[in-house]
Amino acid sequence: MPPWWQGAVIYQVYPRSFQDSDGDGVGDLPGIVARLDHLVALGVDAVWISPFYPSPMADFGYDVADHCDVDPVFGRLADFDALIAAAHARELRVILDYVPNHTADTHPWFQASRASRSGPKRDWYVWRDPAPDGGPPTNWLSEFGGPAWTFDPVTGQYFYHAYLPQQPDLNWRNPEVQDAMLAVLRFWLDRGVDGFRVDAIHHLVEDACLRDNPPNPDWVPGQSPARRLLRTRTMDQPEVQSAIAAMRRVSNAYPGQRLLIGEAYLPIDRLMAYYGEALGGFHLPFNFHLLSTPWQAEPIAALIRRYEAALPEGAWPNWVLGNHDRSRVASRIGAAQARTAAMLLLTLRGTPTIYQGEELGLTDVPIPPDRVQDPWEKRVPGLGLGRDPVRTPMPWEAGPEGGFTTGTPWLPLGQDHRAASVAAQAGDPGSMLALYRALLALRRREPALALGTIAAVAAEGEVLRYERLDAATGRRLLVLLNLGGAEQGLDRCGTPLLSTHGAPPVAGRLRPHEGLVLAIEAG
Ligand code: GLC
């Protein structure tokens, strides 16, 4: 029996924007419980919930002030226990977001660390003396703009933060930090969670010799200012691997295959290292490469082949179309192709992760300047880096706030999103939601899709094609995706199982933007 997560489909919930239950305009844990049946009807197997821990919300929960509790805006620990019970009762697994790289600056650890140079927690964070000119110790840049070092007058040293100054980096070279952070995993594993998505793992350790990062010759104005430098000294350092292996040893000590997924935006060859020595690392290092590959048949076919070929022996693939940090797929490639993308995601070999709202075809929502929330947009305005447009509330039903809240939502709902609500789409067989449900149901019915091999990945003009095979039964499926707007001839016959166009396929033709799964008869 393969482990559960290989045949599973994961669904990401961004809790601030999923469902509000108390009218404060921010989603919460009881809200997630109230909407679990949407996930059941959709047909996913696991829900990954972005951080809900106590936080000053400088980075909306990715600045954790207490790793082992629930922020009052999201509920209480008892609400979490109720959520996990309700999810498990529906055979849904629960995956938490684990943020090991940094804490909030209000975390008691950082408060103790910054209080004095000689305190016992001083070395829990990354403190350095100023450069001889009094400036920062290195040229390292914060992902969210500005230097990655902030001077703290209390003790006359700088502390390092890969992200906001309110998110000081933990010092993972300190064994006490490792122990304390591994204890966080145990806290939630003991409460029954089925796995973790590990945040920003490639940032965990920085160069001990404090060497500068080199300039990036490819940077052009308009790109994130953090990309002016290559992150040679601040990312993907060798020690990251031993930290991941330690996390994996903790998860391995629990029964039931607790899943570890790593967030690392890295080239394919480097990403593979995150499966770990003899696969003792992440079960799934997130594969974000569909986010950056041109939406054309040849580059995507090449990506699939390159990724599959690079997987180490025994490694299981995974695919992603979007998340709470990246422009929504329907905005990147358009509404028509978003349907083809759904078929791609759910018919490729490997564990797919769906970001909330993808199943409705939601698009990026323009945010008026006075409603901007994301600190990245505030610190580096006008470049389109802000992530608010992809974090707007889920539209559940008709009504002014789409059933998301009875109050004022923390971010506006998309104007055209109300018409795309779950209730509106549920009864429409031609809707995106209906397509997602059909794809997930097909995946459940066809072991070739959930667990089978992949072969014959090719581009033929604008058509991307591949086969999926269930070795046990010999069942062979052909996936054909027309990534263009022109009709294409079909040279293969087989029994059509599902078309993105709902209506039965036209014999011998692939309509514009159509995706098709066919069963190929043996012989
Ligand atoms: C990850 C999260 C992102 C967050 C950052 C800092 O990239 O996905 O939302 O801002 O880490 O924690």
Side-chain angles (χ1 to χ4, degrees):
M1 265 295 272
W4 67 268
W5 46 267
Q6 293 193 350
V9 177
I10 301 170
Y11 183 96
Q12 180 191 0
V13 162
Y14 190 71
R16 293 184 72 83
S17 296
F18 199 60
Q19 175 66 57
D20 178 21
S21 73
D22 58 8
D24 66 358
V26 176
D28 45 43
L29 298 185
I32 298 175
V33 174
R35 295 297 185 185
L36 282 178
D37 287 334
H38 169 64
L39 305 187
V40 174
L42 186 57
V44 299
D45 305 275
V47 51
W48 148 36
I49 310 173
S50 283
F52 50 74
Y53 317 111
S55 166
M57 303 291 167
D59 191 22
F60 295 106
Y62 283 97
D63 46 329
V64 179
D66 178 353
H67 294 92
C68 301
D69 205 346
V70 174
D71 192 278
V73 82
F74 296 121
R76 296 170 305 132
L77 211 41
D79 294 316
F80 176 76
D81 292 335
L83 188 162
I84 202 162
H88 284 169
R90 290 165 173 80
E91 293 184 358
L92 286 170
R93 314 260 181 170
V94 177
I95 298 169
L96 298 198
D97 216 308
Y98 172 62
V99 188
N101 179 66
H102 46 268
T103 68
D105 59 350
T106 57
H107 196 295
W109 298 344
F110 188 67
Q111 294 296 316
S113 184
R114 87 182 329 172
S116 85
R117 285 194 185 207
S118 56
K121 292 233 167 23
R122 181 61 167 187
D123 185 51
W124 281 41
Y125 292 81
V126 183
W127 292 98
R128 292 290 182 273
D129 284 333
D133 67 356
T138 65
N139 69 348
W140 301 347
L141 296 173
S142 155
E143 290 298 309
F144 291 152
W149 295 97
T150 292
F151 184 72
D152 197 33
V154 182
T155 52
Q157 282 193 313
Y158 282 86
F159 65 89
Y160 173 71
H161 47 89
Y163 294 93
L164 296 174
Q166 297 95 322
Q167 293 170 295
D169 268 48
L170 284 163
N171 174 19
W172 268 78
R173 292 201 171 93
N174 182 324
E176 292 177 19
V177 168
Q178 292 176 22
D179 288 350
M181 284 306 295
L182 295 177
V184 171
L185 292 176
R186 290 191 198 92
F187 175 87
W188 292 107
L189 289 165
D190 288 338
R191 279 193 121 79
V193 308
D194 300 287
F196 299 92
R197 172 267 190 189
V198 183
D199 184 69
I201 190 66
H202 47 318
H203 281 293
L204 204 67
V205 185
E206 301 73 43
D207 181 39
C209 306
L210 291 188
R211 283 168 289 189
D212 275 353
N213 274 329
N216 174 5
D218 297 328
W219 182 83
V220 289
Q223 289 177 344
S224 169
R227 291 293 96 80
R228 279 171 182 269
L229 302 179
L230 297 172
R231 293 168 292 175
T232 339
R233 306 295 182 194
T234 45
M235 245 182 50
D236 191 24
Q237 304 296 297
E239 291 102 319
V240 174
Q241 299 302 332
S242 52
I244 298 169
M247 294 171 195
R248 177 64 181 269
R249 284 193 295 275
V250 171
S251 92
N252 279 354
Y254 285 77
Q257 288 275 353
R258 313 294 172 104
L259 173 64
L260 291 183
I261 311 171
E263 186 212 22
Y265 287 88
L266 291 169
I268 287 177
D269 60 324
R270 285 308 307 151
L271 189 63
M272 295 304 158
Y274 286 69
Y275 283 103
E277 283 286 318
L279 302 184
F282 290 128
H283 301 94
L284 303 174
F286 258 145
N287 167 12
F288 294 120
H289 286 271
L290 280 176
L291 296 168
S292 50
T293 302
W295 198 256
Q296 292 153 12
E298 185 52 55
I300 295 180
L303 164 67
I304 299 167
R305 287 191 301 253
R306 207 152 49 86
Y307 176 74
E308 284 279 348
L311 287 167
E313 178 76 34
W316 185 251
N318 76 91
W319 298 92
V320 167
L321 291 175
N323 58 38
H324 65 297
D325 294 327
R326 299 287 156 145
S327 177
R328 284 187 176 277
V329 62
S331 288
R332 294 202 314 272
I333 63 175
Q337 278 299 313
R339 298 176 72 89
T340 325
M343 185 170 272
L344 175 71
L345 178 73
L346 294 168
T347 59
L348 278 173
R349 189 175 86 99
T351 304
T353 301
I354 299 169
Y355 175 49
Q356 74 178 39
E358 262 167 28
E359 77 277 28
L360 304 176
L362 296 191
T363 46
D364 298 351
V365 177
I367 305 295
D370 62 329
R371 296 213 54 187
V372 167
Q373 302 278 346
D374 187 10
W376 198 0
E377 180 66 33
K378 290 182 180 171
R379 286 166 62 96
V380 189
L383 297 183
L385 298 172
R387 300 161 295 175
D388 295 332
V390 310
R391 296 176 173 181
T392 57
M394 278 284 282
W396 295 101
E397 57 215 24
E401 304 305 349
F404 165 70
T405 182
T406 54
T408 306
W410 76 290
L411 278 173
L413 274 88
Q415 278 309 317
D416 51 349
H417 286 184
R418 289 184 189 89
S421 73
V422 173
Q425 294 199 32
D428 172 3
S431 68
M432 185 66 134
L433 180 58
L435 174 62
Y436 263 87
R437 286 179 179 173
L439 281 164
L440 279 150
L442 184 66
R443 211 182 149 87
R444 258 178 214 277
R445 275 199 309 276
E446 294 286 354
L449 290 180
L451 294 163
T453 54
I454 188 166
V457 181
E460 284 169 8
E462 293 191 302
V463 177
L464 171 66
R465 56 183 297 158
Y466 45 90
E467 293 180 11
R468 302 294 314 277
L469 176 76
D470 177 34
T473 58
R475 175 112 163 134
R476 212 149 64 101
L477 305 183
L478 172 65
V479 182
L480 294 164
L481 303 170
N482 184 354
L483 302 198
E487 193 172 80
Q488 304 286 338
L490 256 188
D491 63 342
R492 291 300 290 265
C493 49
T495 312
L497 300 179
L498 187 63
S499 158
T500 51
H501 285 32
V506 181
R509 295 251 158 267
L510 206 51
R511 288 164 285 187
H513 309 292
E514 183 173 21
L516 201 56
V517 183
L518 300 164
I520 311 205
E521 323 311 335

